[in-house]
Amino acid sequence: MNSLHLLFTTRYQEIKRQLKIATESRFRTYTVAICALLFWSGLFAFFLRGFSFFTSYIPQSFSNIIIDYMFSIFYFALFTMLMFSSLLIAISLFFKNNETKFLMTKPIPHQDIFLYKLSETFVFASWAVFFLGVPVAWAYGIQQGVNLWFYPLVIVSFIPYIIIPCTLGALLSFIIILYIAKFKKALGIIFALVLSVGIAYLIYSIAAEKENAPSYSAVWLFNVLAYFQFTKWPFSPSLWMSQCMQSVALLEWGEFFFHFMLLLSTSLALVLFSYYFAASNYFIAWSRVYSDLSSKKLWKLSLIRKMLTPLIFVSRRAKLFLEKDLKIFIRDPVQWSQFAILLGLLLLYILNLRTLKYDQKSTFWREIIANLNLMAISLTACTFASRFIFPMLSLEGKRFWTLGVMPIKRSSIIMAKFIFAMVILTLMTQILVLLSAIMLKFPWSLMVYHSIIALLLTSGIAGLAVGLGAIYPNFREDSPSKIVSGFGGTLNLVVSLVYVFVVIFTQIIPSHILLTSTLSKSFYILTFAAISISATITLLPLWIGINKFNKIEI
């Protein structure tokens, strides 16, 4: 344990040094703090208004049932996403991190290195939970009029709740490397088939329930909620967390203590098991990762070069970088799997628009749903761009010295990154926007208009991610999650979110005009405003980024 104490002491000193550097740059610190506070406050106000709606317009007997299921589903989804993100983070921190490579060569017990890296996984995976889960819980507490004990106890309950999926994700990364990696193709096909069948069955089941019962009636509500009964499995940590929060709100201290001890004991047992598991398996798994590199066969993907041939506005040398980025994206399961999951979730929702009979609503409600869909698609694109597009230039750090001697302009490299971002994001947004308009039975005029707005949003999001990535590069880090969590990544996400909200609200009136009346002056003015904002957001960061990138020396 002396080595573990030394590792945490070293990390503590590093955090102190980073905080000192952060306080010296007051503008950067204040910008991040103010943006985070505004975003948190907006989430809190949104959830508070939602709970007020439930209590004001829905009978208490129904609202209590809906809120109970809502928290069970919310914490179950949070638990699942936490475990998946912890799996991806663990693979990077436990096996592909430079610090891990250094520690594995030192006389430090492997289980101590595991526990040290598990704590890092907890930090990287948990900050989003506190950022999202705390405003939900506090809004519920204020709406219920709870005492002051509610707020600190909910935060304390979050700690063991987060430890469980983080530890499971870490253990799952070991199991995949030790036992499953050799069968990854067969298991991937089986998983995709099972997931597809499950999603199809869920869609069919909900559609069948709506045929048997009137829309949004009590019978229909209970029939639909019955399909989410699995979130109330008694051995589910998500249910324990939900019961912890609700029992504190109702001052049921016995229930709270029981479910909190379930969370605490389970988290401690998992950490203890993983600690001893790592003692005999960590070095074997770590060695297997690097011993398999030499025998790894890369996909040739020769079709990509042929697909890039028609891009006559891109130079031949820039196409090489574009081809490289596309191949890395396709060959890296961490990137395309998250892209596929985000795309799949939105696709599942959009395909259910007619199942929920949104296409039969009035024009007013269909407009609102269409604009909310456009916003959701754009925010998903922001998430993807911040996570994968922004750190792309920073990850060139190890090879950056070669760029100075290559016969290629640095501006061409940035434009290649921008085109790559446009290809990936346009593929996602256009499919979803067109499907949304088709499912809501909108005319072709609005379908084309929303498609154009989505293209403008895509260009702005891509321009921000690539431009700010060139303005605020971090060549010292090799972990994308650490690069994204810096000032540049935070600024990129915040500005992208503000940009999406501004453009979405700007195009609401033109969209309404296309459906209800003839084109007027306000349609052209607001459409021109959306185009101007998007052009500025796209070109300005790229221009500044190119100038900054040309002056960088390593």
Side-chain angles (χ1 to χ4, degrees):
M1 285 295 179
N2 290 332
S3 58
L4 192 60
H5 178 265
L6 178 62
L7 289 173
F8 281 113
T9 303
T10 305
R11 177 62 67 186
Y12 172 71
Q13 295 297 330
E14 183 181 350
I15 292 173
K16 284 179 60 177
R17 181 181 62 83
Q18 291 177 351
L19 289 176
K20 184 179 179 180
I21 294 174
T23 55
E24 291 175 356
S25 180
R26 294 184 178 181
F27 173 76
R28 178 181 299 184
T29 304
Y30 291 154
T31 301
V32 174
I34 292 172
C35 291
L37 182 62
L38 289 175
F39 188 71
W40 193 94
S41 301
L43 283 176
F44 175 76
F46 174 78
F47 290 125
L48 185 61
R49 181 68 183 88
F51 287 122
S52 299
F53 171 81
F54 273 110
T55 56
S56 301
Y57 297 98
I58 299 177
Q60 186 175 3
S61 57
F62 284 105
S63 65
N64 291 338
I65 295 173
I66 294 174
I67 289 175
D68 184 42
Y69 268 93
M70 182 187 70
F71 279 124
S72 298
I73 296 169
F74 172 75
Y75 285 118
F76 179 82
L78 206 58
F79 185 91
T80 305
M81 289 188 292
L82 258 180
M83 188 167 65
F84 181 75
S85 62
S86 298
L87 168 63
L88 300 177
I89 294 172
I91 291 175
S92 174
L93 290 179
F94 283 88
F95 303 106
K96 299 184 178 181
N97 185 264
N98 286 333
E99 185 183 23
T100 305
K101 297 177 184 177
F102 173 78
L103 294 176
M104 293 297 287
T105 63
K106 302 302 175 185
I108 302 175
H110 297 143
Q111 61 267 32
D112 288 352
I113 300 176
F114 173 85
L115 203 58
Y116 172 65
K117 287 299 175 181
L118 182 63
S119 65
E120 277 194 67
T121 305
F122 173 83
V123 172
F124 282 116
S126 63
W127 70 269
V129 177
F130 283 105
F131 206 68
L132 181 63
V134 170
V136 175
W138 284 13
Y140 173 74
I142 290 177
Q143 192 276 327
Q144 293 290 323
V146 300
N147 60 25
L148 294 178
W149 281 107
F150 174 86
Y151 305 103
L153 289 177
V154 168
I155 294 178
V156 170
S157 301
F158 268 121
I159 297 175
Y161 168 73
I162 298 171
I163 290 175
I164 295 173
C166 286
T167 309
L168 288 174
L171 286 173
L172 189 58
S173 68
F174 278 79
I175 294 172
I176 290 174
I177 291 172
L178 289 172
Y179 308 110
I180 301 178
K182 61 179 72 174
F183 308 110
K184 56 185 177 183
K185 291 185 178 179
L187 290 173
I189 294 173
I190 294 172
F191 175 77
L193 289 174
V194 171
L195 185 63
S196 302
V197 172
I199 292 173
Y201 176 75
L202 181 63
I203 296 174
Y204 171 78
S205 302
I206 296 178
E209 291 297 339
K210 291 190 66 63
E211 293 174 358
N212 297 332
S215 301
Y216 307 106
S217 64
V219 176
W220 173 84
L221 174 63
F222 285 111
N223 286 337
V224 170
L225 290 180
Y227 288 98
F228 296 98
Q229 189 65 34
F230 66 91
T231 62
K232 289 184 166 294
W233 186 46
F235 297 99
S236 171
S238 56
L239 177 66
W240 302 342
M241 183 62 213
S242 175
Q243 292 300 316
C244 275
M245 188 185 68
Q246 295 183 68
S247 58
V248 173
L250 299 174
L251 300 180
E252 297 175 352
W253 300 110
E255 285 290 318
F256 167 77
F257 182 76
F258 174 73
H259 289 99
F260 177 76
M261 290 307 297
L262 285 174
L263 287 171
L264 183 62
S265 59
T266 303
S267 61
L268 292 177
L270 277 174
V271 171
L272 185 63
F273 171 79
S274 62
Y275 182 79
Y276 287 108
F277 178 83
S280 57
N281 292 281
Y282 193 179
F283 186 75
I284 299 173
W286 187 80
S287 301
R288 186 164 296 179
V289 169
Y290 290 95
S291 63
D292 289 344
L293 291 178
S294 60
S295 62
K296 185 176 181 181
K297 294 182 179 179
L298 297 177
W299 302 339
K300 293 184 178 181
L301 301 175
S302 57
L303 182 62
I304 291 180
R305 183 168 298 181
K306 297 178 181 179
M307 293 172 59
L308 297 178
T309 303
L311 299 179
I312 57 176
F313 56 89
V314 182
S315 65
R316 183 174 59 86
R317 295 186 179 95
K319 286 181 183 179
L320 296 176
F321 278 88
L322 181 57
E323 181 182 352
K324 173 184 73 71
D325 291 332
L326 287 171
K327 286 183 177 180
I328 290 175
F329 176 78
I330 295 173
R331 288 169 176 163
D332 187 2
V334 174
Q335 295 194 44
W336 60 256
S337 61
Q338 294 191 31
F339 176 76
I341 289 173
L342 292 174
L343 183 64
L345 290 174
L346 282 173
L347 192 61
L348 175 63
Y349 156 71
I350 290 174
L351 291 176
N352 269 288
L353 289 175
R354 289 190 183 177
T355 301
L356 299 172
K357 295 188 178 180
Y358 285 147
D359 57 306
Q360 299 179 14
K361 299 293 181 182
S362 63
T363 303
F364 171 76
W365 284 109
R366 286 193 296 145
E367 280 188 71
I368 291 179
I369 294 168
N371 287 317
L372 289 176
N373 291 347
L374 182 60
M375 180 179 293
I377 294 167
S378 303
L379 294 179
T380 303
C382 286
T383 303
F384 180 84
S386 298
R387 177 62 180 83
F388 296 110
I389 306 300
F390 175 82
M392 285 177 63
L393 282 170
S394 298
L395 293 175
E396 298 281 0
K398 294 180 180 179
R399 300 172 295 274
F400 189 81
W401 67 273
T402 62
L403 300 180
V405 297
M406 290 180 63
I408 184 173
K409 295 181 180 179
R410 293 188 182 181
S411 58
S412 299
I413 299 173
I414 293 180
M415 292 309 299
K417 306 290 184 184
F418 174 73
I419 295 171
F420 167 78
M422 285 294 295
V423 169
I424 300 298
L425 295 179
T426 302
L427 177 67
M428 178 182 73
T429 56
Q430 292 299 319
I431 292 174
L432 295 174
V433 168
L434 291 175
L435 276 176
S436 173
I438 292 172
M439 298 302 288
L440 291 171
K441 296 181 180 179
F442 276 131
W444 282 99
S445 58
L446 186 64
M447 188 183 303
V448 173
Y449 186 77
H450 272 194
S451 180
I452 294 172
I453 294 296
L455 185 62
L456 293 175
L457 287 166
T458 300
S459 66
I461 293 168
L464 277 170
V466 176
L468 291 177
I471 297 171
Y472 299 103
N474 185 357
F475 297 120
R476 297 181 179 180
E477 290 289 347
D478 58 351
S479 173
S481 58
K482 291 184 179 181
I483 296 172
V484 171
S485 61
F487 173 76
T490 306
L491 181 64
N492 170 62
L493 181 60
V494 171
V495 175
S496 298
L497 293 176
V498 173
Y499 162 68
V500 167
F501 285 122
V502 170
V503 173
I504 291 296
F505 284 110
T506 303
Q507 63 83 42
I508 287 178
I509 294 179
S511 297
H512 179 74
I513 292 174
L514 280 175
L515 284 177
T516 58
S517 60
T518 58
L519 300 184
S520 61
K521 186 182 296 184
S522 58
F523 172 84
Y524 295 105
I525 292 175
L526 291 174
T527 302
F528 178 76
I531 295 173
S532 302
I533 294 171
S534 298
T536 304
I537 291 296
T538 303
L539 299 177
L540 185 61
L542 287 175
W543 179 70
I544 298 174
I546 290 173
N547 291 332
K548 177 74 180 292
F549 200 62
N550 285 330
K551 298 176 182 177
I552 292 178
E553 293 184 4
I554 293 184

